[in-house]
Amino acid sequence: MTIYKPIRPEAKNAAQLAISLATGQGVTGTTTVDNGANSAIPAQIIAPIVVTKENIKDTVIKDGFWKVEEICTAAVKPACVAAGIS
């Protein structure tokens, strides 16, 4: 099992944060997190996705994070074929 967080939204949020900081603007978020010092830190939380054989094509493969050839090595090729990943 693995967890996946889509790369594009992560990168977009990071870029927006960098621009805000570079231009002296305040940092905003959709929520806040506590840093342990009773401070509410603005945060953009992107929900992680549990990657399964049912959604692997629509997550890590679709987003280009992994290629089918990288996942479906000779050792696991039969399992990939059985799961429809080939």
Side-chain angles (χ1 to χ4, degrees):
M1 182 188 102
T2 192
I3 298 292
Y4 177 65
K5 289 177 81 173
I7 296 167
R8 284 184 179 86
E10 288 274 330
K12 180 180 176 184
N13 288 342
Q16 288 173 337
L17 172 63
I19 291 168
S20 292
L21 291 173
T23 58
Q25 299 174 15
V27 177
T28 61
T30 56
T31 189
T32 59
V33 294
D34 186 347
N35 70 355
N38 297 323
S39 295
I41 307 297
Q44 297 273 352
I45 305 296
I46 296 175
I49 300 166
V50 175
V51 179
T52 65
K53 66 181 180 182
E54 289 80 22
N55 71 2
I56 195 167
K57 289 195 290 187
D58 294 325
T59 55
V60 296
I61 294 172
K62 180 181 176 185
D63 289 353
F65 191 77
W66 290 100
K67 296 178 184 175
V68 171
E69 300 79 27
E70 295 171 316
I71 297 168
C72 296
T73 62
V76 296
K77 188 72 171 178
C80 284
V81 171
I85 310 163
S86 55

